[in-house]
Amino acid sequence: VTPLGVELARRIERDGPLPVAEYMQRCLLDPQHGYYRTQTAIGAAGDFITAPEISQMFGELIGLWAAQVWMTMGSPARVRLVELGPGRGTLMADALRATAKVAPEFHAAIDLHLVEANPRLRERQAEALAAARPHWHDAFDSVPDGPAVVIANEFFDALPVRQIVRIGGEWRERVVDHAKGRFVFAAGTAASAPRAPLADAPDGSVVETSPAGEAVAAAISTRLARTGGAALIIDYGPGAPGVGDTLQAVRAHRKVDPLAEPGLADLTAHVDFAGLARAGRGAGAEAYGPLPQGTLLHRLGIAARAATLLRNATPQQARDVDAGVRRLIEPDEMGTLFKALALAHPDLPVPPGFDAPMSNRQ
Ligand SMILES: C[S@@+](CC[C@H](N)C(=O)[O-])C[C@H]1O[C@@H](n2cnc3c(N)ncnc32)[C@H](O)[C@@H]1O
């Protein structure tokens, strides 16, 4: 039993079962015991590995994406480069190294802002990004106004999801209860039906939404619509909304029971890209995608970048470059499950690598 488990069991005994979103929120962000307050679990030796930790090309290409967007914004003299959930700072370090070389004017305009909940990861970011003198924030809302390019890789999957479940034809809130010394899922109070066509899902179906994710997408989009710029959101999830319980827990690269060790395992859920796009459009931005990660990286020139790296590589480095490309773009690796969504000021051209939104096509 984890310390957070003890607290949650007491809380459930006193006040009743916890909605799934609240359980997830406590497990990840409880001020004392939350996974993202205490663990620095990214990387080969940690709980999970992410795209920037697989290959430097990922961050480099995103840096150049940001530089191209900045040019379409009219190359403002100062631009907020904002990263949500920067982890160990690897993506941003690779991005900044690339922009310093290839886009020095953009590089000189950057004012770096990092949104990070984890004090230990903030220390890692401070080491990795010292030269860029970043500013840290607890939430996007405190990033100062002004033209912005926003990046978020595997940030939205860490935000709490709400689940509803259909039982006997009725939709009910899915909750976490505590019985006989164990946490268990249960059906709570009545909930309103999900959007069509999911409202007709059969009994037993679980439907997820992320009010927290939609609120962040809306906050970013309001800002972009007001002061200009674009955001690139990369994460894993389906291209279209569907039913299913995607809450999962990972510890030491293994899937574990999400209810077994509250606070010690990373909890995530698939990102509802359609929901983020809807929230973004509702707040005045244009939304592009989602596009498979493999397609985006291919269009941003990963093959050419790999070829350049291979020119001066040792045999071991060459194997790493090839393996990195494969893992990032192949459909049976990260290439298809991971997707990219862009949100942008409606007057900006289509962001690099994306297609025009359906509504604008001739
Ligand atoms: C899965 S990691 C991804 C890290 C990094 N982007 C990468 O690709 O390696 C999630 C990141 O988001 C941060 N994070 C999670 N929830 C957060 C929240 N609600 N507010 C701010 N940061 C959060 C974590 O501390 C971590 O830096």
Side-chain angles (χ1 to χ4, degrees), residues 29 36 42 48 50 52 83 85-87 115-118 121 153-155 158-159:
L29 292 171
Y36 277 124
I42 308 164
F48 55 88
T50 56
E83 187 177 0
V115 177
E116 176 56 66
N118 185 323
L121 287 176
N153 185 59
E154 287 207 48
F155 170 78
L159 300 183

Side-chain angles (χ1 to χ4, degrees), residues 25 28-29 35-37 39 42 48-53 58 83-91 115-119 121-122 125 137-139 152-160 266 268:
Q25 170 83 14
L28 294 175
L29 292 171
Y35 181 83
Y36 277 124
R37 301 286 189 202
Q39 313 285 319
I42 308 164
F48 55 88
I49 191 143
T50 56
E53 304 293 336
F58 188 78
E83 187 177 0
L84 306 181
R88 306 204 306 183
T90 308
L91 185 161
V115 177
E116 176 56 66
N118 185 323
L121 287 176
R122 282 189 182 197
Q125 294 154 17
H137 304 269
D138 291 329
N153 185 59
E154 287 207 48
F155 170 78
F156 281 87
D157 66 36
L159 300 183
D266 182 32
T268 60

